Protein backbone atom coordinates (compact mmCIF):
# COMPACT_ATOMS: atom_id res chain seq x y z
CA UNK A 1 0.00 0.00 0.00
CA UNK A 2 1.21 3.50 -0.86
CA UNK A 3 2.27 6.09 1.65
CA UNK A 4 -0.12 8.77 0.36
CA UNK A 5 1.61 12.10 -0.36
CA UNK A 6 0.30 14.84 1.92
CA UNK A 7 -1.08 17.14 -0.77
CA UNK A 8 -2.91 14.32 -2.53
CA UNK A 9 -4.37 13.11 0.77
CA UNK A 10 -5.63 16.63 1.52
CA UNK A 11 -7.18 16.83 -1.95
CA UNK A 12 -8.96 13.52 -1.38
CA UNK A 13 -10.33 14.77 1.93
CA UNK A 14 -11.61 17.95 0.24
CA UNK A 15 -13.43 15.89 -2.41
CA UNK A 16 -15.00 13.69 0.27
CA UNK A 17 -16.02 16.79 2.21
CA UNK A 18 -17.72 18.20 -0.90
CA UNK A 19 -19.60 14.93 -1.32
CA UNK A 20 -20.67 15.06 2.31
CA UNK A 21 -21.93 18.63 1.83
CA UNK A 22 -23.84 17.58 -1.30
CA UNK A 23 -25.43 14.67 0.59
CA UNK A 24 -26.43 16.96 3.47
CA UNK A 25 -27.94 19.53 1.10
CA UNK A 26 -29.95 16.82 -0.65
CA UNK A 27 -31.35 15.59 2.68
CA UNK A 28 -32.27 19.16 3.68
CA UNK A 29 -34.00 19.77 0.35
CA UNK A 30 -35.99 16.56 0.75
CA UNK A 31 -37.09 17.66 4.21
CA UNK A 32 -37.96 21.21 3.16
CA UNK A 33 -39.84 20.09 0.03
CA UNK A 34 -41.24 16.64 0.87
CA UNK A 35 -43.59 16.68 -2.12
CA UNK A 36 -40.79 17.12 -4.66
CA UNK A 37 -39.08 14.09 -6.17
CA UNK A 38 -35.31 14.13 -5.62
CA UNK A 39 -34.74 10.56 -6.78
CA UNK A 40 -32.39 11.48 -9.64
CA UNK A 41 -30.35 13.81 -7.41
CA UNK A 42 -30.08 11.07 -4.79
CA UNK A 43 -28.97 8.55 -7.39
CA UNK A 44 -26.36 10.95 -8.77
CA UNK A 45 -24.83 11.63 -5.37
CA UNK A 46 -24.86 7.96 -4.39
CA UNK A 47 -23.15 7.07 -7.66
CA UNK A 48 -20.50 9.71 -7.01
CA UNK A 49 -19.82 8.16 -3.59
CA UNK A 50 -19.28 4.77 -5.22
CA UNK A 51 -17.18 6.07 -8.13
CA UNK A 52 -14.94 8.26 -6.01
CA UNK A 53 -14.67 5.64 -3.30
CA UNK A 54 -13.51 2.97 -5.75
CA UNK A 55 -11.09 5.39 -7.43
CA UNK A 56 -9.51 6.56 -4.17
CA UNK A 57 -9.14 3.01 -2.83
CA UNK A 58 -7.38 1.90 -6.03
CA UNK A 59 -5.10 4.95 -6.01
CA UNK A 60 -4.19 4.31 -2.38
CA UNK A 61 -3.50 0.58 -2.80
CA UNK A 62 -0.96 0.86 -5.63
CA UNK A 63 -0.38 2.37 -9.10
CA UNK A 64 -0.86 -1.10 -10.60
CA UNK A 65 -4.30 -1.42 -9.00
CA UNK A 66 -5.29 1.99 -10.35
CA UNK A 67 -4.01 1.09 -13.84
CA UNK A 68 -6.14 -2.08 -13.76
CA UNK A 69 -9.14 0.05 -12.76
CA UNK A 70 -8.66 2.38 -15.73
CA UNK A 71 -8.22 -0.64 -18.03
CA UNK A 72 -11.55 -1.98 -16.77
CA UNK A 73 -13.17 1.41 -17.40
CA UNK A 74 -11.82 1.33 -20.97
CA UNK A 75 -13.31 -2.15 -21.39
CA UNK A 76 -16.73 -1.01 -20.16
CA UNK A 77 -16.59 2.11 -22.35
CA UNK A 78 -15.60 0.13 -25.46
CA UNK A 79 -18.29 -2.47 -24.79
CA UNK A 80 -20.86 0.28 -24.34
CA UNK A 81 -19.76 2.01 -27.55
CA UNK A 82 -20.24 -1.18 -29.55
CA UNK A 83 -23.62 -1.72 -27.88
CA UNK A 84 -25.02 1.59 -29.15
CA UNK A 85 -23.22 1.98 -32.50
CA UNK A 86 -24.19 -0.74 -34.98
CA UNK A 87 -21.51 -2.95 -36.51
CA UNK A 88 -21.76 -5.76 -39.04
CA UNK A 89 -22.42 -9.32 -37.94
CA UNK A 90 -19.23 -10.30 -39.76
CA UNK A 91 -17.18 -7.97 -37.56
CA UNK A 92 -17.55 -10.05 -34.40
CA UNK A 93 -14.16 -11.66 -34.99
CA UNK A 94 -12.61 -8.24 -35.57
CA UNK A 95 -14.00 -6.92 -32.28
CA UNK A 96 -11.93 -9.54 -30.45
CA UNK A 97 -8.77 -7.77 -31.60
CA UNK A 98 -10.21 -4.41 -30.59
CA UNK A 99 -10.79 -5.72 -27.06
CA UNK A 100 -7.34 -7.33 -27.02
CA UNK A 101 -5.80 -3.88 -27.46
CA UNK A 102 -6.90 -3.00 -23.91
CA UNK A 103 -4.62 -5.32 -21.88
CA UNK A 104 -1.71 -4.67 -24.26
CA UNK A 105 -2.11 -0.88 -24.11
CA UNK A 106 -2.34 -0.86 -20.32
CA UNK A 107 0.58 -3.27 -20.00
CA UNK A 108 2.64 -0.74 -21.95
CA UNK A 109 1.44 1.86 -19.45
CA UNK A 110 2.42 -0.30 -16.47
CA UNK A 111 6.01 -0.76 -17.70
CA UNK A 112 6.31 2.89 -18.71
CA UNK A 113 7.21 2.18 -22.34
CA UNK A 114 6.23 5.60 -23.65
CA UNK A 115 7.47 5.10 -27.22
CA UNK A 116 5.27 2.05 -27.82
CA UNK A 117 2.38 3.33 -25.69
CA UNK A 118 2.01 6.38 -27.91
CA UNK A 119 2.00 4.51 -31.24
CA UNK A 120 0.58 1.05 -30.48
CA UNK A 121 -3.08 1.93 -31.16
CA UNK A 122 -2.70 4.80 -33.69
CA UNK A 123 -0.28 2.76 -35.83
CA UNK A 124 -0.35 -0.99 -35.17
CA UNK A 125 -3.97 -1.48 -34.14
CA UNK A 126 -5.08 0.99 -36.80
CA UNK A 127 -3.39 -1.16 -39.47
CA UNK A 128 -4.26 -4.55 -37.97
CA UNK A 129 -8.04 -4.13 -37.75
CA UNK A 130 -8.74 -3.49 -41.46
CA UNK A 131 -6.31 -6.27 -42.37
CA UNK A 132 -8.38 -8.66 -40.25
CA UNK A 133 -11.58 -7.31 -41.82
CA UNK A 134 -10.21 -8.04 -45.30
CA UNK A 135 -9.59 -11.67 -44.37
CA UNK A 136 -13.30 -12.05 -43.55
CA UNK A 137 -14.08 -11.24 -47.16
CA UNK A 138 -17.14 -9.05 -46.58
CA UNK A 139 -16.87 -5.74 -48.48
CA UNK A 140 -20.36 -4.32 -47.97
CA UNK A 141 -20.25 -1.73 -45.19
CA UNK A 142 -16.46 -2.05 -44.93
CA UNK A 143 -15.71 1.69 -44.66
CA UNK A 144 -18.43 2.30 -42.06
CA UNK A 145 -17.33 -0.60 -39.88
CA UNK A 146 -13.65 0.26 -40.11
CA UNK A 147 -14.41 3.85 -39.06
CA UNK A 148 -16.63 2.80 -36.16
CA UNK A 149 -14.18 0.25 -34.75
CA UNK A 150 -11.13 2.48 -35.17
CA UNK A 151 -12.83 5.46 -33.57
CA UNK A 152 -14.19 3.37 -30.71
CA UNK A 153 -10.73 2.05 -29.81
CA UNK A 154 -9.15 5.50 -30.10
CA UNK A 155 -11.73 7.17 -27.84
CA UNK A 156 -12.24 4.52 -25.18
CA UNK A 157 -8.80 2.89 -24.99
CA UNK A 158 -6.12 5.18 -26.37
CA UNK A 159 -7.51 8.46 -25.00
CA UNK A 160 -8.50 7.16 -21.57
CA UNK A 161 -5.21 5.28 -21.11
CA UNK A 162 -3.45 8.65 -20.84
CA UNK A 163 -4.97 9.02 -17.37
CA UNK A 164 -3.24 5.83 -16.25
CA UNK A 165 0.10 6.87 -17.75
CA UNK A 166 0.19 9.87 -15.40
CA UNK A 167 0.73 7.34 -12.60
CA UNK A 168 4.05 6.09 -14.01
CA UNK A 169 5.64 9.44 -14.84
CA UNK A 170 8.75 10.35 -12.79
CA UNK A 171 7.62 12.25 -9.71
CA UNK A 172 8.67 15.91 -9.55
CA UNK A 173 6.25 17.11 -6.88
CA UNK A 174 6.91 14.70 -4.01
CA UNK A 175 4.32 16.40 -1.80
CA UNK A 176 1.59 15.30 -4.23
CA UNK A 177 3.17 12.37 -6.08
CA UNK A 178 1.79 10.89 -9.28
CA UNK A 179 -1.62 10.57 -7.62
CA UNK A 180 -1.81 14.36 -7.59
CA UNK A 181 -1.69 14.49 -11.39
CA UNK A 182 -4.63 12.10 -11.70
CA UNK A 183 -6.67 13.93 -9.05
CA UNK A 184 -5.93 17.28 -10.72
CA UNK A 185 -7.06 16.07 -14.16
CA UNK A 186 -10.20 14.31 -12.91
CA UNK A 187 -11.22 17.07 -10.49
CA UNK A 188 -10.70 19.89 -13.01
CA UNK A 189 -12.57 17.98 -15.72
CA UNK A 190 -15.60 17.31 -13.50
CA UNK A 191 -15.52 20.81 -12.01
CA UNK A 192 -15.53 22.17 -15.56
CA UNK A 193 -18.74 20.28 -16.34
CA UNK A 194 -20.36 21.62 -13.19
CA UNK A 195 -19.11 25.20 -13.73
CA UNK A 196 -20.33 25.39 -17.31
CA UNK A 197 -23.70 24.01 -16.22
CA UNK A 198 -24.08 26.52 -13.35
CA UNK A 199 -22.97 29.56 -15.37
CA UNK A 200 -25.26 28.48 -18.17
CA UNK A 201 -28.22 28.23 -15.78
CA UNK A 202 -27.47 31.60 -14.21
CA UNK A 203 -26.58 33.69 -17.26
CA UNK A 204 -27.12 31.53 -20.33
CA UNK A 205 -28.93 33.27 -23.20
CA UNK A 206 -26.90 32.71 -26.36
CA UNK A 207 -26.79 29.09 -27.52
CA UNK A 208 -23.60 27.73 -29.09
CA UNK A 209 -24.76 24.66 -31.01
CA UNK A 210 -28.49 24.22 -30.35
CA UNK A 211 -28.86 21.31 -32.78
CA UNK A 212 -26.31 19.27 -30.82
CA UNK A 213 -26.78 20.45 -27.24
CA UNK A 214 -29.61 22.98 -26.72
CA UNK A 215 -28.55 23.73 -23.14
CA UNK A 216 -24.99 24.81 -24.01
CA UNK A 217 -24.57 28.58 -24.06
CA UNK A 218 -21.71 31.00 -24.66
CA UNK A 219 -22.20 32.39 -21.15
CA UNK A 220 -21.89 28.94 -19.61
CA UNK A 221 -18.87 28.06 -21.75
CA UNK A 222 -16.97 31.29 -21.06
CA UNK A 223 -17.89 31.24 -17.36
CA UNK A 224 -16.62 27.66 -17.09
CA UNK A 225 -13.38 28.46 -18.92
CA UNK A 226 -12.64 31.43 -16.66
CA UNK A 227 -13.56 29.49 -13.51
CA UNK A 228 -11.43 26.46 -14.32
CA UNK A 229 -8.55 28.60 -15.52
CA UNK A 230 -8.48 30.49 -12.23
CA UNK A 231 -9.02 27.46 -9.97
CA UNK A 232 -6.41 25.36 -11.77
CA UNK A 233 -3.90 28.20 -11.49
CA UNK A 234 -3.96 27.79 -7.70
CA UNK A 235 -4.63 24.04 -7.45
CA UNK A 236 -2.05 23.04 -10.09
CA UNK A 237 1.11 23.98 -8.15
CA UNK A 238 -0.30 22.13 -5.12
CA UNK A 239 -1.00 18.85 -6.91
CA UNK A 240 1.46 18.96 -9.83
CA UNK A 241 4.98 20.23 -10.63
CA UNK A 242 3.48 23.03 -12.76
CA UNK A 243 3.87 26.73 -11.98
CA UNK A 244 0.87 29.06 -11.64
CA UNK A 245 1.16 30.15 -15.27
CA UNK A 246 1.33 26.63 -16.69
CA UNK A 247 -1.42 25.46 -14.34
CA UNK A 248 -3.67 28.25 -15.55
CA UNK A 249 -2.94 27.31 -19.17
CA UNK A 250 -3.62 23.65 -18.45
CA UNK A 251 -6.96 24.68 -16.93
CA UNK A 252 -7.88 26.48 -20.14
CA UNK A 253 -6.95 23.37 -22.15
CA UNK A 254 -9.04 21.14 -19.88
CA UNK A 255 -12.03 23.46 -19.96
CA UNK A 256 -12.12 23.91 -23.75
CA UNK A 257 -11.37 20.27 -24.58
CA UNK A 258 -13.86 19.08 -21.95
CA UNK A 259 -16.58 21.06 -23.65
CA UNK A 260 -15.62 19.57 -27.03
CA UNK A 261 -15.65 16.03 -25.62
CA UNK A 262 -19.10 16.61 -24.14
CA UNK A 263 -20.65 17.84 -27.39
CA UNK A 264 -18.93 15.18 -29.51
CA UNK A 265 -20.49 12.37 -27.46
CA UNK A 266 -23.78 14.30 -27.51
CA UNK A 267 -23.57 14.32 -31.32
CA UNK A 268 -23.19 10.55 -31.33
CA UNK A 269 -26.25 10.12 -29.11
CA UNK A 270 -28.33 12.51 -31.20
CA UNK A 271 -27.33 10.68 -34.36
CA UNK A 272 -28.45 7.42 -32.73
CA UNK A 273 -31.53 9.12 -31.24
CA UNK A 274 -30.79 8.04 -27.68
CA UNK A 275 -30.72 10.07 -24.46
CA UNK A 276 -27.99 8.17 -22.59
CA UNK A 277 -25.25 5.85 -23.76
CA UNK A 278 -26.27 3.27 -21.14
CA UNK A 279 -27.76 2.73 -17.70
CA UNK A 280 -24.80 1.34 -15.78
CA UNK A 281 -24.44 4.36 -13.46
CA UNK A 282 -27.72 5.35 -11.74
CA UNK A 283 -28.49 9.03 -12.23
CA UNK A 284 -25.67 9.49 -14.74
CA UNK A 285 -26.44 7.10 -17.59
CA UNK A 286 -23.61 5.06 -19.02
CA UNK A 287 -19.83 5.04 -18.87
CA UNK A 288 -19.56 7.20 -21.99
CA UNK A 289 -21.93 9.74 -20.45
CA UNK A 290 -19.58 10.08 -17.49
CA UNK A 291 -16.32 9.92 -19.46
CA UNK A 292 -17.29 12.12 -22.42
CA UNK A 293 -15.23 15.11 -21.32
CA UNK A 294 -12.31 12.96 -20.09
CA UNK A 295 -11.95 11.35 -23.50
CA UNK A 296 -10.69 14.71 -24.77
CA UNK A 297 -9.15 16.28 -21.66
CA UNK A 298 -6.96 13.26 -20.77
CA UNK A 299 -4.73 13.11 -23.88
CA UNK A 300 -4.56 16.89 -24.38
CA UNK A 301 -3.66 17.61 -20.76
CA UNK A 302 -1.21 14.69 -20.72
CA UNK A 303 0.74 15.84 -23.77
CA UNK A 304 0.78 19.46 -22.63
CA UNK A 305 2.07 18.41 -19.22
CA UNK A 306 4.54 15.88 -20.65
CA UNK A 307 5.97 18.41 -23.12
CA UNK A 308 6.36 21.09 -20.46
CA UNK A 309 7.93 18.85 -17.81
CA UNK A 310 9.68 15.93 -19.48
Amino acid sequence: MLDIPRHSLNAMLVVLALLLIATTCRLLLARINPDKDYTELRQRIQSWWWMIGILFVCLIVSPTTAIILFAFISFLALKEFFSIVPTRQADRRVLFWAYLSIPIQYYLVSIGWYGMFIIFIPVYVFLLLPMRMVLIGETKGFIHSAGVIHWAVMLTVFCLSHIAYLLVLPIKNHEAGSIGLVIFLLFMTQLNDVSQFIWGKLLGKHKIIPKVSPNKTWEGFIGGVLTIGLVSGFVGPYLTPMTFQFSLLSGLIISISGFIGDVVISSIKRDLEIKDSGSLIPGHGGILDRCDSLIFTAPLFFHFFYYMNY
Side-chain angles (χ1 to χ4, degrees):
M1 184 173 293
L2 287 176
D3 180 16
I4 312 173
R6 182 167 57 88
H7 287 185
S8 292
L9 177 60
N10 291 339
M12 289 180 176
L13 293 175
V14 168
V15 172
L16 294 176
L18 290 174
L19 272 178
L20 188 59
I21 292 172
T23 302
T24 304
C25 290
R26 198 273 301 172
L27 292 173
L28 289 175
L29 286 172
R31 174 164 294 189
I32 294 172
N33 302 299
D35 297 330
K36 192 170 183 180
D37 186 9
Y38 290 100
T39 301
E40 184 177 356
L41 179 61
R42 175 180 57 79
Q43 289 177 335
R44 280 179 171 269
I45 294 174
Q46 287 179 346
S47 295
W48 272 120
W49 274 110
W50 278 105
M51 290 186 290
I52 291 175
I54 293 171
L55 171 67
F56 283 179
V57 168
C58 290
L59 288 174
I60 291 171
V61 171
S62 71
T64 301
T65 305
I67 291 171
I68 293 172
L69 171 65
F70 290 121
F72 184 61
I73 291 173
S74 281
F75 167 76
L76 293 176
L78 184 61
K79 184 174 181 292
E80 188 172 272
F81 194 101
F82 287 142
S83 72
I84 62 174
V85 182
T87 55
R88 302 178 304 175
Q89 185 73 11
D91 292 326
R92 288 181 301 171
R93 285 167 286 181
V94 181
L95 299 186
F96 166 79
W97 297 100
Y99 283 112
L100 187 60
S101 70
I102 298 174
I104 298 175
Q105 177 74 355
Y106 281 91
Y107 172 73
L108 296 173
V109 170
S110 68
I111 63 175
W113 190 355
Y114 179 79
M116 185 56 72
F117 157 79
I118 212 65
I119 66 169
F120 171 65
I121 288 177
V123 177
Y124 295 104
V125 174
F126 185 88
L127 297 176
L128 171 67
L129 293 178
M131 288 169 55
R132 183 65 185 88
M133 293 173 67
V134 167
L135 294 176
I136 295 173
E138 179 62 61
T139 58
K140 187 176 182 180
F142 184 93
I143 295 176
H144 174 267
S145 288
V148 166
I149 298 172
H150 277 141
W151 201 36
V153 175
M154 282 294 295
L155 291 179
T156 63
V157 185
F158 182 69
C159 289
L160 291 179
S161 66
H162 285 76
I163 308 172
Y165 205 99
L166 292 171
L167 293 167
V168 301
L169 291 176
I171 299 173
K172 291 190 175 183
N173 183 344
H174 291 278
E175 291 294 322
S178 58
I179 295 178
L181 290 171
V182 174
I183 294 175
F184 176 79
L185 170 61
L186 297 180
F187 182 73
M188 287 298 110
T189 299
Q190 299 308 319
L191 182 60
N192 175 60
D193 291 345
V194 174
S195 297
Q196 293 193 10
F197 174 79
I198 292 175
W199 284 112
K201 284 292 185 182
L202 292 176
L203 304 174
K205 292 182 179 179
H206 302 87
K207 299 184 184 300
I208 301 181
I209 38 178
K211 289 185 178 181
V212 175
S213 187
N215 295 323
K216 300 290 185 185
T217 63
W218 280 107
E219 292 82 1
F221 171 69
I222 294 172
V225 168
L226 295 177
T227 300
I228 299 306
L230 183 62
V231 172
S232 63
F234 291 98
V235 175
Y238 189 79
L239 290 176
T240 77
M242 295 187 294
T243 62
F244 173 82
Q245 291 82 358
F246 284 131
S247 297
L248 191 150
L249 184 55
S250 71
L252 296 178
I253 292 172
I254 288 173
S255 186
I256 295 171
S257 60
F259 170 83
I260 297 171
D262 189 345
V263 296
V264 164
I265 300 301
S266 292
S267 296
I268 294 174
K269 290 186 290 186
R270 285 199 172 273
D271 183 29
L272 298 171
E273 298 182 345
I274 58 176
K275 181 179 183 295
D276 296 320
S277 62
S279 57
L280 182 65
I281 309 174
H284 293 266
I287 289 290
L288 291 174
D289 293 311
R290 192 63 275 148
C291 294
D292 51 4
S293 299
L294 273 172
I295 286 171
F296 275 64
T297 62
L300 292 177
F301 167 75
F302 175 90
H303 290 292
F304 169 77
F305 176 80
Y306 190 87
Y307 177 77
M308 292 298 177
N309 291 274
Y310 299 97

